[in-house]
Amino acid sequence: MKSFLTVFILLILCCEGTFAFSFSSGKSPAKPDNSGKGYAGTLPDLKGKFVVDDKEAPKPVYEQTKNFNSANEIKPIPRDNPAFVNIILKTDKTSPYLNDINEIIPMFEKVLASIEKDEDVQKFSAKVYFLTQNIDYLDEKYTNKPEHQYISFKRMTSTGAMCRSVMNLRSEAEKNKYYMAYSTEGAIYSSNTISEQLGYLKSELETTIAILKETK
């Protein structure tokens, strides 16, 4: 009986030592995995073993454009800079009057070419009519303006009036040539008179065109 008690006491002491060893290690026994998903125990905390870099992310080297569409941020056009005005804006240095003169010169040249080619009355009259209509427009446009007193302008209007006069003469002569005899009254419509008037007009046109081309 005594020996039985001795063995029982030794067994109790051995079991207590085993449990004591288990708790002293600081680790919980792994739980059995009954789900088939692998290890179900407690994983170690690895966060403390890594250093987290809290440095701020690098910024781009360019400066950020603020309020790009804001009127306060847009620089005004440097209109006082001659290089900008003459190159970027490309201002038109030609005056309106000079533009008008350059446009009407070819009309005078067409009338001159009509005389040189000895075109018929219809073609000549069509060119003169177009020219004189434009001269009338300019005459009204520049009324009471300094350009109206320019030599080039006066020369243009006087030559235009001469063109209209010769056009009317040729038209009347063409209309009445079958009805008027070559008397004193009808001599004005003779071919000699027409040729003479066209010669005067040709000389006038050449001079006027030269003056208009010299206009600045």
Side-chain angles (χ1 to χ4, degrees), residues 75-87 89 91:
K75 294 182 178 180
I77 295 175
R79 294 187 179 276
D80 56 342
N81 186 340
F84 180 84
V85 173
N86 295 332
I87 298 175
L89 293 184
T91 54

Side-chain angles (χ1 to χ4, degrees), residues 114 120-130 167-168 170-171:
S114 180
D120 58 35
V121 179
Q122 286 76 19
K123 292 180 181 179
F124 174 79
S125 298
K127 292 179 174 63
V128 171
Y129 179 80
F130 186 69
M167 178 189 70
N168 292 334
R170 290 192 67 182
S171 298

